[in-house]
Amino acid sequence: MTSLPSRRRLLATGAGAALGLGAPASPAAAAPAGAARGAGAGAEETRSLDELYQAAIAEGGKLVIYAGGDLADSGSGAGARTAFRQRFPQIDLDLIVDYSKYHDARVDNQFATDTLVPDVVQLQTLHDFTRWKRQGRLLHYKPAGFGKLHKKFRDPDGAWVAGMVIAFSYLYDVAAAGANAPQTPLDLVDPRWKGAIASSYPHDDDAVLYLFALYAETYGWDWVAAFAAQQPQFARGSFSPGTAVTNKEKIIGVGTGGSPLITTPNRWMMPDGHPFMAWGQRIAILKQAANPTAAKLYLNWQLSTERQTSNSWSVRTDIAPPTGLKPIWEYPNANVDGFPRFMEDRAQVERLKQTFALYFGEVKGDPTPGWPGLHPGA
């Protein structure tokens, strides 16, 4: 793995390169001589998890992952860290959680300064994966089960896969809301909920931004103004609304994940005919990865039936969702196609961020995963 940037290197590469503003590297330049090659556009991985595990140990037994998330030591990223270490204890895994919008900038800066740290990126910023593919930054590789992934959740060349489904909507405390619980997002602006709502900032998290953009498109900007008049408690991190409701600080939480199968003490809503949003969290191996075999092990494990069989939606077409749910791509109001398109239009995203800041004020507070710095995991 390359060393951290020296002052001499930064002066030699220039300020533009250090900031990641230079021209993107060509595919040939992005991969050092002797870099590991994937299966390309060919067959899927045929080695078992145990075979990949032994090969990863022989490679050196290390793996560094940059994972998008809200909290360093809890949530889906931290949960994957714990589960992987239990399953493969001889792999020295360093999985660093940070907001995806910081991780992607961090990786770009590491490209620019020749100081790349992670082997794998697992992020919400879907547009980065298409951009990095164009730049030749991603290893084209098809894990076992690649053909079973829904077409929305895989790059046709294997540059990236989606490892999990995440969905955002609103929830409420069943007991506290009582008989007049909000059955659709329209009910959130009823005056009786003034002061009773917690929300994540839409202009801090692009997935929450998309959810609020859907609300504005469906119900109009008057709805947004009425929501602002409810004096919601805004906080950073999509976990924060659920935490506020669970702790009995608020009755309703907006812009957060949950399970539609759990109905008490909180109920997470996805009402028919009203918008919510869902996406596949993308995962890719960087072409310059120092530990490509361990990275392949991680992708195969994430897509394995042992990992994908859970109490939520799967990215695989051959694994049925729990009773009571349809596959996520069968919910038109989940907008599974819309979020990737939304993320590609960065000018629209920036306009919406500033527009919601006009309604809700500027984002306040430190990032909830902390400040990992420029080169976490090095």
Side-chain angles (χ1 to χ4, degrees), residues 60 90 92 134 136 143 150 158 178 181 188 193 226 234 248 251 256:
Q90 293 186 60
D92 180 11
R134 291 193 301 269
H150 193 276
L188 300 178
W193 304 124
F234 285 102
K248 306 296 183 181
I251 298 174
T256 190

Side-chain angles (χ1 to χ4, degrees), residues 15-34:
L19 291 172
L21 301 176
S26 67

Side-chain angles (χ1 to χ4, degrees), residues 263-286:
T263 57
T264 57
N266 304 331
R267 185 178 181 189
W268 187 86
M269 297 292 289
M270 37 180 275
D272 289 344
H274 294 268
F276 71 106
M277 65 83 61
W279 77 100
Q281 189 87 325
R282 292 181 182 176
I283 311 175
I285 301 172
L286 297 173

Side-chain angles (χ1 to χ4, degrees), residues 285-314:
I285 301 172
L286 297 173
K287 189 176 285 187
Q288 294 172 253
N291 306 289
T293 307
K296 292 174 181 178
L297 171 64
Y298 182 78
L299 262 65
N300 281 271
W301 172 72
Q302 280 283 35
L303 298 182
S304 66
T305 55
E306 70 180 63
R307 182 73 175 159
Q308 288 291 315
T309 304
S310 69
N311 61 354
S312 187
W313 292 289
S314 173

Side-chain angles (χ1 to χ4, degrees), residues 53 78 107 131 136 141 156 174 221 236 254 259 274 300 309 327 344 351 355:
Y53 182 29
V107 169
R131 176 174 62 87
Y141 172 70
V174 173
W221 286 99
R236 301 191 76 177
V254 182
S259 171
H274 294 268
N300 281 271
T309 304
E344 293 286 346
R351 285 193 300 271
T355 303

Side-chain angles (χ1 to χ4, degrees), residues 172-181 193 245 248 250-252 265-266:
Y172 62 86
D173 181 325
V174 173
N180 293 318
W193 304 124
V245 173
K248 306 296 183 181
K250 300 293 178 180
I251 298 174
I252 299 168
N266 304 331

Side-chain angles (χ1 to χ4, degrees), residues 134-154:
R134 291 193 301 269
Q135 294 175 351
R137 297 294 190 182
L138 305 181
L139 185 69
H140 290 197
Y141 172 70
K142 296 180 178 180
F146 181 87
K148 299 296 185 181
L149 298 178
H150 193 276
K151 62 182 181 180
K152 301 177 190 295
F153 297 144
R154 60 180 178 178

